[in-house]
Amino acid sequence: MDKIKNQTRPVFPFTAIVGQEEMKLALILNVIDPKIGGVMIMGDRGTGKSTTIRAIADLLPEIEVVSDDFFNSHISDYDLMSDSVKTQLENNIDLSTQSIKVPMVDLPLGATEDRLCGTIDIEKALNEGIKSFDPGLLAKANRGILYVDEVNLLDDHLVDILLDAAASGWNTVEREGISIRHPSRFVLVGSGNPEEGELRPQLLDRFGMHAEIRTVRDASLRVQIVEQRSKFDQDPYGCIQEFSKEQENLKELIINAQDLLKDIVIDYDLKVKISHICGVLNVDGLRGDIVTNRAARAFAAYQNKKEVDINDVKQVITLCLRHRLRKDPLDTIDSGTKVDQVVNEILS
């Protein structure tokens, strides 16, 4: 219990969250394989979006980082290492490391490009010949989760920068001919309320997954959610203790899945069926095919399997494709239902 109380602020346990299975699965799969490309969570206000995202970050095992490094650099993985750390290693300088909680970075709605990307001190560079860089949120989010609430209200230019960094794993800042590049590998999570406006289709397409959440209508389930929240508010550490075993079990499942991921295989015929579904649904580009393959492999790893089967694809494909369908204002069914219909025909 003392270890629990050492936390700066108690976080609602992920395994205590009632319902919203689609959102929880999308977050777990992105944590297992960040290359899925993040998740966009659209739903009504007050449905636990922020609570769930903070809870998954808190659940994850600590990561080892180089001490006093702005970018949470990995001590041995070159792709997750800043240039200064690489230089020190090449010069055989001993570096100390420390374990930290997985970074959870919030992007405020009014953030500027400098706040997001970081800034170069031009004066220092010109006068002293030193590249002086003040890191932004993309640096702090490296190897963690970057959360943008109400992403549909964020300036399109900033959304572009975010998505480029999430896809490439790097952030480059250029000012007056001076360029600085640093690793920025993170799980991008956006949330929003569709009543406040949709994201442009070309930006929405860049999110790996799209989870839709609705206000729970079932009365008994609503009571269960309210009681669970009240219990946490009255005694947060008691609630954390109550769910500690479930939290530990889920953490082990995620770590195991991350280790298994590289060995998971998908049969060629199943890949063809995934691409057939994308073709029938008129999904533009190949991002839908790629993300569905990745997500299916992550789900198989999560189930502790070595090979993807049809059921794994069925579990993830709607999350991967529903936001990539062309919007038809005359359609009487939503995009998720349309995906389900085609999937059931082709994967029967």
Side-chain angles (χ1 to χ4, degrees):
M1 181 69 89
D2 288 340
K3 186 183 171 192
I4 293 171
K5 288 201 175 183
N6 285 337
Q7 292 182 357
T8 50
R9 191 180 98 189
V11 176
F12 195 84
F14 187 82
T15 50
I17 293 165
V18 179
Q20 309 300 12
E21 300 305 324
E22 191 171 282
M23 168 169 58
K24 291 193 286 193
L25 178 63
L27 290 169
I28 288 169
L29 295 181
N30 271 276
V31 161
I32 292 169
D33 183 4
K35 289 182 179 172
I36 286 171
V39 56
M40 179 70 184
I41 301 165
M42 286 300 249
D44 306 328
R45 288 181 293 275
T47 44
K49 297 189 287 287
S50 301
T51 300
T52 308
I53 293 152
R54 287 182 216 299
I56 189 83
D58 186 66
L59 171 80
L60 298 175
E62 291 189 338
I63 56 171
E64 186 186 18
V65 301
V66 174
S67 302
D68 303 319
D69 177 75
F70 289 129
F71 311 103
N72 306 321
S73 289
H74 199 286
I75 190 66
S76 57
D77 187 337
Y78 254 50
D79 284 340
L80 299 172
M81 203 183 283
S82 67
D83 288 342
S84 63
V85 168
K86 287 177 188 170
T87 304
Q88 290 175 78
L89 286 174
E90 283 160 7
N91 293 328
N92 297 316
I93 295 170
D94 279 337
L95 295 171
S96 62
T97 63
Q98 64 186 95
S99 290
I100 64 165
K101 286 196 76 63
V102 167
M104 164 76 191
V105 176
D106 276 289
L107 177 66
L109 254 187
T112 60
E113 186 178 339
D114 284 350
R115 177 88 179 91
L116 180 62
C117 300
T119 53
I120 297 169
D121 188 332
I122 299 297
E123 199 172 326
K124 205 167 191 178
L126 295 176
N127 295 340
E128 301 173 36
I130 300 167
K131 279 187 180 180
S132 178
F133 181 61
D134 183 18
L137 296 175
L138 289 177
K140 290 187 175 74
N142 188 36
R143 300 176 67 196
I145 295 173
L146 199 154
Y147 173 47
V148 191
D149 192 13
E150 300 190 66
V151 67
N152 44 337
L153 302 182
L154 195 67
D155 181 75
D156 280 351
H157 174 58
L158 290 185
V159 178
D160 265 330
I161 292 170
L162 269 178
L163 292 164
D164 284 341
S168 67
W170 292 90
N171 174 44
T172 305
V173 182
E174 291 179 333
R175 299 283 185 278
E176 312 293 333
I178 298 163
S179 176
I180 286 180
R181 183 172 177 261
H182 69 78
S184 187
R185 292 272 178 94
F186 53 85
V187 175
L188 178 62
V189 182
S191 70
N193 182 347
E195 290 172 10
E196 290 161 355
E198 292 280 356
L199 264 187
R200 284 191 288 128
Q202 58 269 47
L203 293 178
L204 198 52
D205 175 62
R206 301 268 296 278
F207 280 89
M209 291 180 152
H210 187 282
E212 286 183 2
I213 51 177
R214 299 273 177 266
T215 303
V216 175
R217 301 295 173 205
D218 181 82
S220 58
L221 202 54
R222 286 173 80 114
V223 170
Q224 196 182 335
I225 294 166
V226 171
E227 284 183 345
Q228 192 69 273
R229 185 71 223 191
S230 300
K231 192 194 293 185
F232 177 79
D233 290 339
Q234 285 164 14
D235 181 12
Y237 298 107
C239 185
I240 291 168
Q241 184 69 36
E242 183 188 335
F243 284 90
S244 59
K245 194 170 188 333
E246 288 96 326
Q247 291 281 96
E248 205 51 47
N249 289 344
L250 181 54
K251 188 189 289 188
E252 282 176 20
L253 274 175
I254 289 170
I255 294 168
N256 181 55
Q258 288 170 333
D259 292 339
L260 279 177
L261 190 62
K262 62 183 183 303
D263 299 319
I264 304 285
V265 293
I266 302 187
D267 181 70
Y268 177 77
D269 288 343
L270 197 48
K271 287 181 183 176
V272 170
K273 283 181 177 172
I274 290 169
S275 291
H276 184 196
I277 290 166
C278 292
V280 170
L281 289 166
N282 287 320
V283 174
D284 290 330
L286 293 173
R287 210 172 261 133
D289 308 51
I290 293 165
V291 170
T292 304
N293 277 275
R294 279 195 183 285
R297 288 178 68 243
F299 188 78
Y302 182 48
Q303 303 297 309
N304 197 27
K305 295 192 288 197
K306 292 186 177 168
E307 187 169 354
V308 174
D309 61 31
I310 280 179
N311 187 53
D312 300 325
V313 176
K314 282 183 172 179
Q315 291 291 329
V316 302
I317 196 163
T318 303
L319 281 165
C320 300
L321 297 184
R322 65 149 63 95
H323 56 304
R324 303 179 198 280
L325 306 195
R326 293 177 187 172
K327 290 275 189 292
D328 182 351
L330 300 176
D331 249 345
T332 52
I333 59 170
D334 73 2
S335 51
T337 309
K338 195 183 283 188
V339 174
D340 288 342
Q341 286 176 352
V342 173
V343 167
N344 288 331
E345 284 169 22
I346 294 171
L347 294 183
S348 54

